[in-house]
Amino acid sequence: MGLGYATEAASAALSFGFERLALSEVVANAAVGNSASTRVMERLGMSHHPRDDFDLPGRAEGHPLRRQVLYRIAAGKWLKK
């Protein structure tokens, strides 16, 4: 695949959040190992700090979607693009 649709859609969502809703920050998460999603977040300038990663409530130990990575971007960083 790799046609850029996910990045384009995520970019539009960030623009809406920051420009129309005046959010100060947007966060996104993906399952550990979901490299396609993490590449999109990184391409958009979002940053990852391992201390923010978390386990999804209700997911059993060992479930492949339990551990999530969290990325974030502040309005000031996005609006400078």
Side-chain angles (χ1 to χ4, degrees), residues 10-75:
S11 179
L14 288 175
S15 290
F16 183 80
F18 290 132
E19 296 165 16
R20 299 283 303 270
L21 301 178
L23 300 176
S24 61
E25 180 180 59
V26 171
V27 299
N29 62 288
V32 168
N34 184 341
S35 58
S37 291
T38 56
R39 277 194 308 273
V40 168
M41 293 183 272
E42 290 168 359
R43 213 175 282 129
L44 294 170
M46 300 181 86
S47 58
H48 171 244
H49 300 287
R51 70 177 178 274
D52 294 331
D53 295 350
F54 63 97
D55 292 332
L56 279 177
R59 297 287 182 185
E61 186 75 37
H63 190 284
L65 299 179
R66 181 175 182 180
R67 192 71 182 158
Q68 299 282 305
V69 292
L70 187 131
Y71 281 71
R72 63 180 68 235
I73 187 168

